[in-house]
Structures are given as structure tokens and as C-alpha cells.
Amino acid sequence: MYAEERRRQIAAQTAVEGRVNVTKLSRKFDVTAETIRRDLAVLDREGIVHRVHGGAVATQSFQTTELSLDARLRSAPNAKSAIARAALNFLPETPGRGLFLDAGTTVTALADLIADTPQANQWSIVTNSLPIALTMANKGLSEIQLLGGSVRAITQAVVGDTALRTLALMRADVAFIGTNALTLDHGLSTADAQEAAIKSAMVTNARRVVVLCDSSKIGNDYLVSFAAIENIDVVITDSNAPESYVQSLRDRDIEVVLGS
């Protein structure tokens, strides 16, 4: 396991459990205690954890910084691909069903796969993502509706009152939702209130909510919560997700799928 991957798991575990111990982490990752101390020192400098005697504790600050769309597309590409492949199993089998696809980059990876399936035109797809709408239109899909409204340059997502009024009139069988962060207390969260409002409307108006969330986002908190944990049905993540967190979600009757 690479150091970056190990540190991501340590950060997620710290956020979930509140505190981690050097000795236990050393056994879990089969590395020396000194290696774990170096990992914690790096995470402490980045403001992700606070070092304490014998381990580290979670920070309580909410993130507000957004990465550009290109930067997010480059982040954890293998995990996103695995999650997107697993998400195909949650597409409705019955033709004519409606789908919400929000503007998350992992949802964008799913949209690419949907567009290449023979059944792609059997679903009515609603999205607030310019890249998703363009990808699907360029591949000849006809049942695509792009919500109207203002476009956020940093994410190329459509937001605003026009989009919200349209969503209020719609219902979907499945909403595929991306998130910047996921915790048990704060639920799903993101940095921008307008994007949060769109995501929240999709969650509210879908019969089933499937969250696509790579493990680097688990245990993090962004400023605006748009859905509580009890509002979601399925979380699809990658194999690096902390086992304790996966079990906590399952204990709340949420289906957790590990993409591979």
C-alpha cells in the first residue's frame, strides 16, 4: 500500500472514530510505529488530524475549499471507475423509468458507462451537469433533460431557482448522487449552498438514493449538509473504505457496495 493511500485511510478512520492509536494503526497496516507517526505528522501539518500523545484525534472544522472540475476528475480515477461500474447494477430493469444524475465527477464516470449500454435510451435521464448532458447527447441519447438555470463555472453544474422549480415537479426511480464528504453526523455535504439545494431536491424526489463516494471523502465534512444518512439507501465506495465506517452504515440499514 502506498503512503498516500494509507494516510487517506488513517484520516477517514480518525474522522469516524474520533481518535486513533499508533500501536493499533501499526498492526492494522503492518508497518512500524515510526511510519505511523510520520503519517500522523503529515496529516497534522495538513490540518486533517491533531496529533496527541500516542495517536491523533479528529479535527472538527468544516471544509469550504472547492477543487476545479479538472482537478476533481483527476482525483482517485481508479476508485471512481470501480464505483461507476458497480453503480450500473442499480439501474432500473423496467424501461421508461426516470433517473436523476447530479453533477458529481463519479456520477460523470457512471454517465459515460450508461451512454455506452444498449439500454441507454430506455431511461428518462434528468441532470444538472453540462458535461453529462453533452456526453450523452453526443452519443445519440434522446431521453436527456438538462435542467435550466445558472451555471457554476468551477463545477459546470446548473443551479438556481429555475432548476429547483423544475425538480419540484419531477420524480425519479433512482437518484445517483455524488458528494464531497460523508459522515454519520453531518451526512452528505458539499461546499456550495446552491449545489447542495439541487442535490437535496434530487434526494427528496427519488424513490431510491444511490450515493457514489470514494473512500477519500468518508469522514470528511464540508460546510453545507444536503442529506442525512437516513435519507439514503445505498452507498457505493471503493475497497479502501474503513471497515468500521462500512459496518456503521450497514448497522443503519444502508446497503454498502465496494467497487472493484
Side-chain angles (χ1 to χ4, degrees), residues 119-157:
Q119 305 89 357
N121 269 314
Q122 77 175 21
W123 302 296
S124 296
I125 297 173
V126 176
T127 185
N128 70 319
S129 166
L130 287 178
I132 287 176
L134 286 171
T135 293
M136 293 190 151
N138 288 335
K139 292 190 177 182
L141 275 69
S142 57
E143 296 297 321
I144 309 300
Q145 179 169 344
L146 175 65
L147 295 173
S150 303
V151 179
R152 297 192 70 231
I154 192 170
T155 59
Q156 296 182 22

Side-chain angles (χ1 to χ4, degrees), residues 9-43:
Q9 290 194 39
I10 291 172
Q13 183 176 335
T14 306
V16 171
E17 299 179 359
R19 185 184 184 104
V20 290
N21 175 272
V22 168
T23 302
K24 291 181 179 178
L25 290 174
S26 175
R27 288 199 297 265
K28 175 179 178 178
F29 293 105
D30 194 25
V31 295
T32 65
E34 185 55 38
T35 296
I36 296 298
R37 292 189 187 96
R38 286 196 295 269
D39 288 339
L40 295 178
V42 171
L43 294 172

Side-chain angles (χ1 to χ4, degrees), residues 100 126-127 145 147 163 165-172 201 204-206:
F100 289 151
V126 176
T127 185
Q145 179 169 344
L147 295 173
R165 285 196 298 268
T166 303
L167 277 172
L169 302 174
M170 293 181 164
R171 298 294 182 270
T204 299
N205 293 333

Side-chain angles (χ1 to χ4, degrees), residues 204-260:
T204 299
N205 293 333
R207 183 180 61 83
R208 195 178 199 194
V209 178
V210 179
V211 177
L212 312 186
C213 177
D214 71 72
S215 60
S216 68
K217 300 172 181 177
I218 294 177
N220 294 328
D221 270 323
Y222 270 72
L223 185 64
V224 187
S225 175
F226 62 86
I229 287 295
E230 55 265 25
N231 296 142
I232 62 181
D233 302 293
V234 181
V235 172
I236 306 179
T237 185
D238 58 80
S239 57
N240 291 323
E243 292 181 11
S244 58
Y245 205 92
V246 170
Q247 189 57 52
S248 293
L249 291 171
R250 287 173 173 161
D251 288 344
R252 288 164 171 78
D253 295 323
I254 296 170
E255 183 177 356
V256 181
V257 176
L258 304 181
S260 59

